[in-house]
Amino acid sequence: MKLVRYGAPGQEKPGMIDSQGQLRDLSGHVADITGRAFEAGLMDTLRGIDPATLPRVDNSPRIGPCVGDVRTFWAIGLNYTDHAEETGAPIPKEPILFNKAASCIVGPYDDVILPPGSVEADWEVELALLIGKRSYRISEAEAADAIAGYFICNDVSEREYQLKREGLWTKGKCCPTFGPIGPWLVTPDEFKNPQDKGLWLDLNGTRTQTGHTSKMIFTIAHIVSYVSQFLILEAGDIITTGTPPGVGLGMAPNVFLKAGDEMHLGIDGLGAQRQTVVAFPG
């Protein structure tokens, strides 16, 4: 099942993509696509709906973030061996955990805005997931039951803020528009094995990132279980799980985003995103 949110920013409606790729309106059945809705039994409601009975949405609306009411945006760093190697970082012995601000979330086709003075903004295609139930200190075997669905995240990063300023990575990860998610959330029954998916990203029509989730250092199940050992994962939390090689920081010489650049990125079974990079207004 592919679930989507569409409409103007802050006014998104819930939708579903049918088997022919047609957007259908779900607002007559559910209020929104959120982790808390999944925890309250959203899937039971959706299983009883024939997509053909839902109203068609034919006016090509804006596609918004595929998840609303995000509680906390967790992220895993250096989770692909070849990405760690390209950046000169040691292979981590445990998952590297950091935050992105929920305020950085935008839709999959919205512009990415460079913060004032940005000189080292970078791209990162990643597999992300939504937590659909409250989970604390769960095992890897229990992790799958905590996941409501999967989607694409572009973990846009300002490397100067992240690596050359004092403190945590977080300050380079949270700028407004630095978290495009979507275009849709795919439920685990349709997405199937998350460790068997290809990822890619093109910058201005040139392939820069090519990866496969089988190359993850820490699997999805391990990540969810691991994070839950340190904190309570709540329904509505999202976790983005690291990027494969091919980021601008790993190139020699480095390549960073500038106004006018276009990113096009995708993951098997999850569709594709496209963003144009723009300068900070004013």
Side-chain angles (χ1 to χ4, degrees):
M1 191 176 298
K2 294 182 176 71
L3 302 177
V4 67
R5 299 171 70 248
Y6 68 97
Q11 302 177 37
E12 292 92 349
K13 294 182 178 181
M16 177 187 293
I17 304 297
D18 68 20
S19 59
Q20 283 73 50
Q22 171 66 45
L23 174 59
R24 302 277 183 165
D25 178 42
L26 270 174
S27 59
H29 298 270
V30 299
D32 201 355
I33 307 300
T34 69
R36 293 176 185 177
F38 276 100
E39 191 170 46
L42 175 62
M43 287 304 298
D44 292 334
T45 299
L46 296 179
R47 287 191 191 99
I49 297 173
D50 177 359
T53 66
L54 297 170
R56 290 169 55 103
V57 181
D58 291 322
N59 56 348
S60 299
R62 168 187 175 265
I63 301 299
C66 59
V67 179
D69 192 26
V70 173
R71 178 183 179 276
T72 306
F73 194 162
W74 301 105
I76 304 298
L78 298 174
N79 194 32
Y80 289 73
T81 305
D82 35 11
H83 173 54
E85 291 171 347
E86 74 170 344
T87 59
I91 304 300
K93 296 180 173 61
E94 298 182 53
I96 296 172
L97 180 65
F98 62 92
N99 279 105
K100 289 177 75 75
S103 60
C104 80
I105 294 172
V106 290
Y109 313 121
D110 291 343
D111 290 342
V112 166
I113 302 172
L114 296 176
S118 171
V119 293
E120 295 187 359
D122 205 347
W123 56 87
E124 296 189 16
V125 58
E126 302 197 2
L127 173 61
L129 60 92
L130 172 67
I131 297 296
K133 61 182 289 188
R134 196 172 194 264
S135 303
Y136 183 55
R137 299 190 68 82
I138 62 174
S139 67
E140 290 190 28
E142 295 170 315
D145 192 46
I147 299 171
Y150 297 90
F151 47 93
I152 303 166
C153 172
N154 188 355
D155 177 20
V156 184
S157 308
E158 217 302 337
R159 302 300 190 187
E160 183 189 30
Y161 298 178
Q162 177 188 353
L163 302 172
K164 297 179 181 178
R165 302 283 185 93
E166 297 292 336
L168 304 176
W169 284 8
T170 300
K171 65 178 66 173
K173 297 284 189 171
C174 295
C175 302
T177 74
F178 272 25
I181 62 171
W184 45 68
L185 175 148
V186 178
T187 52
D189 58 331
E190 180 169 332
F191 190 60
K192 302 191 185 303
N193 182 6
Q195 305 305 149
D196 188 28
K197 307 297 179 182
L199 307 82
W200 55 270
L201 184 145
D202 294 345
L203 178 66
N204 300 324
T206 298
R207 183 64 45 94
T208 60
Q209 288 192 271
T210 302
H212 199 273
T213 57
S214 63
K215 297 292 184 68
M216 282 184 174
I217 299 168
F218 306 107
T219 66
I220 298 298
H222 182 84
I223 288 168
V224 173
S225 172
Y226 179 88
V227 175
S228 80
Q229 306 308 305
F230 301 96
L231 53 93
I232 296 172
L233 287 169
E234 298 280 7
D237 287 358
I238 62 178
I239 304 175
T240 190
T241 61
T243 197
V247 299
L249 180 65
M251 296 181 177
N254 295 156
V255 176
F256 295 117
L257 296 170
K258 61 186 185 303
D261 284 345
E262 184 174 88
M263 295 175 284
H264 184 206
L265 55 148
I267 299 177
D268 294 345
L270 297 180
Q273 301 184 355
R274 189 183 297 271
Q275 297 103 32
T276 299
V277 179
V278 301
F280 192 83

